[in-house]
Amino acid sequence: MPSPHVAPDIKLDAFNCPFCFAYAKQEGGRLSLGQRYTVYGGTRCERCEAAALWDGNGRLIWPAEVAVTLAHPDLPENCKADFEEAREIFAISPRGAAALLRLVIQKLMVDLGQPGDNINADIAALVRDGLPPRIQQALDVCRVVGNNAVHPGEIDLTATPATALAIFELINFIVEDRISKPRQVQALFDALPDGALKAIEKRDAPKG
């Protein structure tokens, strides 16, 4: 899976550069532009030496896009459009991106064998069926953060965009564990010789 990204944040000394996408040290400074001498913040990437521009509220305004991880190749087709839209708008609206990613989780529930009408109930059903704790925790993080993006609560995604950025990684983590790995195991099992498959079937057949 792709390495986790650290969202650009003018308060951090290092993050994933919005130009070269590498995790690198960022040198900060301030400058004045325009006829009214509006004060902006600037950061320069130690790796590629490109300079980013931030407004007075610490919001990235140049470049307009931020390095966001790509969707997992095995992300279901019905989820891909929402995931990509979330990537496209993340730089200007972390809350909007998180809300879209909550929709991705809701659709993903259907692929995991659940109704998809109530994410909380779907997670509970998966837990009863033996869902590993780490996947339950990842799903709940996506659910809670995405829900607060729609109905503001204690999580301020505008102030902490890194929280919203992490949801992209968690979705890929869930897809890898719940979809990719089972497919890989099934493909290897199906490739066993017929004799071995028949012996396994005989071994596991009900006795008596």
Side-chain angles (χ1 to χ4, degrees), residues 56-127:
N57 296 317
R59 195 170 301 165
L60 184 66
I61 57 177
W62 176 259
E65 296 182 357
V66 179
V68 179
T69 187
L70 296 173
H72 194 290
D74 287 333
L75 183 70
E77 287 296 325
N78 65 326
C79 299
K80 287 183 177 179
D82 295 319
F83 192 99
E84 288 305 314
E85 185 176 351
R87 291 183 72 249
E88 291 171 3
I89 70 170
F90 174 78
I92 58 174
S93 178
R95 290 180 67 244
L100 279 168
L101 293 177
R102 186 180 188 277
L103 180 58
V104 170
I105 288 294
Q106 188 167 359
K107 292 180 177 180
L108 190 57
M109 285 297 177
V110 177
D111 288 271
L112 299 182
Q114 300 303 315
D117 298 324
N118 184 307
I119 298 177
N120 195 45
D122 290 344
I123 294 173
L126 289 170
V127 169

Side-chain angles (χ1 to χ4, degrees), residues 94-190:
R95 290 180 67 244
L100 279 168
L101 293 177
R102 186 180 188 277
L103 180 58
V104 170
I105 288 294
Q106 188 167 359
K107 292 180 177 180
L108 190 57
M109 285 297 177
V110 177
D111 288 271
L112 299 182
Q114 300 303 315
D117 298 324
N118 184 307
I119 298 177
N120 195 45
D122 290 344
I123 294 173
L126 289 170
V127 169
R128 288 194 296 271
D129 289 340
L131 186 73
R134 67 184 183 279
I135 303 301
Q136 169 260 307
Q137 292 169 357
L139 285 169
D140 275 323
V141 170
C142 296
R143 175 182 64 84
V144 172
V145 173
N147 188 62
N148 280 340
V150 181
H151 307 289
E154 297 180 356
I155 302 174
D156 183 357
L157 296 176
T158 302
T160 57
T163 302
L165 188 64
I167 304 304
F168 291 93
E169 299 290 343
L170 287 179
I171 288 176
N172 282 345
F173 171 67
I174 293 162
V175 171
E176 175 70 17
D177 189 276
R178 297 286 91 189
I179 297 178
S180 298
K181 288 183 177 178
R183 283 181 182 173
Q184 293 166 8
V185 172
Q186 188 65 53
L188 290 170
F189 183 83
D190 292 342

